[in-house]
Amino acid sequence: MNQPDLGEQAISKAAEIVIDSQLNEVDNLDVNIKTNPFDLAQGEIESFTIDGKGIVIKQDLRAERMILHTNSIKIDPLKVALGKLKLEKSTNVQAKLVLQEDDIQQAFNSLYIQNKLKDVRIELAGENLTVNAKNVKFKILHSDRLHLRADIIIAESAEIKPIGLTH
């Protein structure tokens, strides 16, 4: 594998600083951009890789590790200068996300996810209801199985129903 030249190293470091500033927390972040100055000026990047460990976004959403790799990217450099990143052509992206049981448990009970689980409309026994999920418990079981338990609050009656799912 070719070592990145000084220009690529500088561009990669600048991108790393920008990405790091958007995260709540990160243990280790490595960004590698493969391009040359002429192509970059035209908004073309040969490849882009982010490899992060201990990444936290939205305060409580944590990934043990995230690897994101793209092949060639074409962007409008003028829009980037205005703070608007838009891809000019389709791009293949490969992503690997490693989550620990504790990360998933914390995410389910984060304010961000709790807001997504708030006032959900469902149909139950022919009746339209509004429900909220609280006290979500997540476990990774042996044999690649998952278990999820939560208290479902039916807004119309304030009744609390425990549910459990195993898959």
Side-chain angles (χ1 to χ4, degrees):
M1 180 178 219
N2 295 344
Q3 290 292 330
D5 65 28
L6 287 177
E8 287 176 341
Q9 288 177 9
I11 292 164
S12 295
K13 189 63 177 172
E16 188 176 301
I17 290 168
V18 169
I19 292 167
D20 184 64
S21 74
Q22 301 300 305
L23 301 172
N24 292 110
E25 187 179 318
V26 64
D27 294 339
N28 185 43
L29 183 65
D30 184 34
V31 176
N32 185 359
I33 296 176
K34 183 107 176 98
T35 190
N36 67 57
F38 179 74
D39 289 343
L40 184 62
Q42 295 181 2
E44 296 178 16
I45 296 171
E46 186 178 323
S47 69
F48 180 82
T49 303
I50 299 171
D51 187 350
K53 294 179 183 165
I55 292 176
V56 179
I57 60 170
K58 300 207 184 273
Q59 286 76 37
D60 289 324
L61 303 180
R62 182 182 185 281
E64 180 67 23
R65 183 151 190 214
M66 180 188 78
I67 302 171
L68 184 72
H69 177 77
T70 71
N71 59 358
S72 69
I73 297 174
K74 173 94 171 116
I75 56 177
D76 184 337
L78 294 175
K79 288 183 181 175
V80 171
L82 298 172
K84 298 184 187 228
L85 180 63
K86 180 182 175 193
L87 294 176
E88 296 291 313
K89 68 174 188 172
S90 297
T91 298
N92 288 324
V93 178
Q94 297 172 340
K96 178 181 179 182
L97 193 60
V98 177
L99 302 172
Q100 298 292 331
E101 182 178 283
D102 290 345
D103 298 336
I104 298 168
Q105 172 68 42
Q106 184 173 340
F108 269 117
N109 291 292
S110 71
L111 185 59
Y112 178 76
I113 298 296
Q114 283 295 306
N115 284 335
K116 300 291 182 191
L117 298 174
K118 189 175 183 179
D119 298 329
V120 175
R121 299 288 298 161
I122 65 166
E123 183 180 328
L124 183 64
E127 193 176 351
N128 288 321
L129 301 170
T130 302
V131 298
N132 297 291
K134 298 284 184 198
N135 303 320
V136 179
K137 304 285 187 228
F138 177 85
K139 284 284 195 195
I140 298 173
L141 305 173
H142 299 292
S143 306
D144 296 328
R145 295 175 58 88
L146 306 173
H147 180 73
L148 189 67
R149 193 194 81 63
D151 291 330
I152 301 298
I153 303 162
I154 301 171
E156 290 78 4
S157 66
E159 184 179 4
I160 299 173
K161 299 262 188 189
I163 64 162
L165 307 165
T166 302
H167 179 70

